[in-house]
Amino acid sequence: MAAFDFELLVIGAGSGGVRASRMAAARGVKTAVVENRYLGGTCVNVGCVPKKLFVYASEYSEKFEEAAGFGVHGQLNAFEWPELRDNKSNEIKRLNGIYNNLLENSGVALLHGSATLVDAHTVRVGDTEYRAEKILIATGGWPSKPDIPGAEHGITSNEVFYLEEFPQRAVVIGGGYIAVEFAGIFNGLGADTHLLYRGEQILRGFDGDVRDFAAEQIINKGVSIHTHTDVKRIDKLEDGTLRCQLTNGDMMDADCVLFATGRTPMTDGLNLDTVGVETRSDGTISVDHFFRTSVPSIYALGDVIGTPQLTPVALAQAMKLVAHWYAGDQEPMSYDNIPTAVFCQPNIATVGLTEEEAVERYGDDLTVFESSFRPMKHTISGMPERSLMKLIVQTSTDLVVGAHMVGEDAGEIMQGLAVAVKAGATKAVFDSTIGIHPTAAEEFVTMRSPRS
Ligand code: NDP
């Protein structure tokens, strides 16, 4: 140990890196974390947190319409983008400070700068080399743009939180989480919003019924979804308009083009090749069940290793790894039943298998329960919004293997269901659970008739 400056040196102070370094330091491990940008990583700075604040903002305009049916009359007078943007930025600054205190108070040394691996135990930050018994790479991901002419005129989720002006016309490219969430944000805040997706239906990987139902709801809210459509060139006109040439031959003008076309692992400058850390063809770092890379003293976790790109996954990995190192945990991390939500309007949330995955795994040993209804609030609000709930049950065991929802607060509702699914609840347990009335969520315990 004497030859080392630290027992653990973590590269990247995002969700996974901060959690791992704090947990290790709390066990008395001499720990440092290197960060060259902002504390809290993507989630806190240009991801989950500011996105959710924008989602809240985008939901207000519709509330005025909904209220009228209840005899409450009012109207939206103004939306001041700079106010929203700057209030959000102040909140993020506050959170950065909290992260700083968390690290300081747990005794983690914070090293500002970019890290380069020198050898299996040495990291250079600026002009200083640090030796560590273990090195953990938790550098996350970075948005990627397709290589098309004029791509530089488009922005990514890194810039969208800091726009100088709010666009009147927004084009969003992609059909994943970020595209769908930001299409909802732009639309709710008043932009004429077009979502371009190259495939058949948005949200590949989600349950088929959920995708179709969500797309219908999103279109009803005012977003124009163009499937089988991509952008092949962007030109900036003199007045600042971004003219998009689409693959279907159409032109589309916008004030803002957002590429939400996926994220790539952030390994720039780490020097992985030289020290022998193996990567896969997509650039993610290969690790074993306990996050060890091809170099035994170097570990990696979070978005950079290609597991689901979700903050709670990185947090769980960090805690698993620290427990493995310092408390003898030999149980590999499970990636089953990870609940997740897309914060579009209405929300999508899910845990467990999609129907397509369940069919692949269990063939026709399945019973599907599905309910689509108009939420009580909208019987009076007059809004056309509908909800969908779906349970997928393995018939022979009665186990609920998948739960899906499209509807208001689906993200909030699904967290509790995820506990039930993870605990191995059967459909009989769902059926014997008393509902909370009147709620939308009670539908999950009252669905009795299988889908024919
Ligand atoms: P996703 O991987 O979810 O989606 C990328 C989308 O872009 C897909 O629809 C993909 O199409 C499309 N695409 C990829 N390359 C191109 C291209 N060259 N031209 C046109 N379209 C393209 O990535 P996101 O960027 O939306 O988000 C990254 C990750 O961040 C998510 O996977 C998720 O894990 C996480 N995230 C989680 C959130 C949450 O929990 N609420 C919110 C936001 C992000 P195709 O389907 O054909 O591949």
Side-chain angles (χ1 to χ4, degrees), residues 143-146 148-160 163 170-173 186 231 233-236 240-244 254-261:
S144 63
K145 287 183 189 180
I148 55 162
E152 69 278 9
H153 301 309
I155 58 164
T156 69
S157 53
N158 278 351
E159 294 81 36
V160 73
L163 291 177
V171 167
V172 179
I173 300 156
F186 281 131
V231 65
R233 179 189 178 91
I234 305 173
D235 291 295
K236 189 166 188 169
T241 295
L242 303 178
R243 178 151 293 168
C244 304
D255 306 306
C256 172
V257 175
L258 172 67
F259 286 104
T261 44

Side-chain angles (χ1 to χ4, degrees), residues 66 73 223 356 419:
E66 289 178 6
H73 298 278
V223 175
E356 294 74 15
V419 176

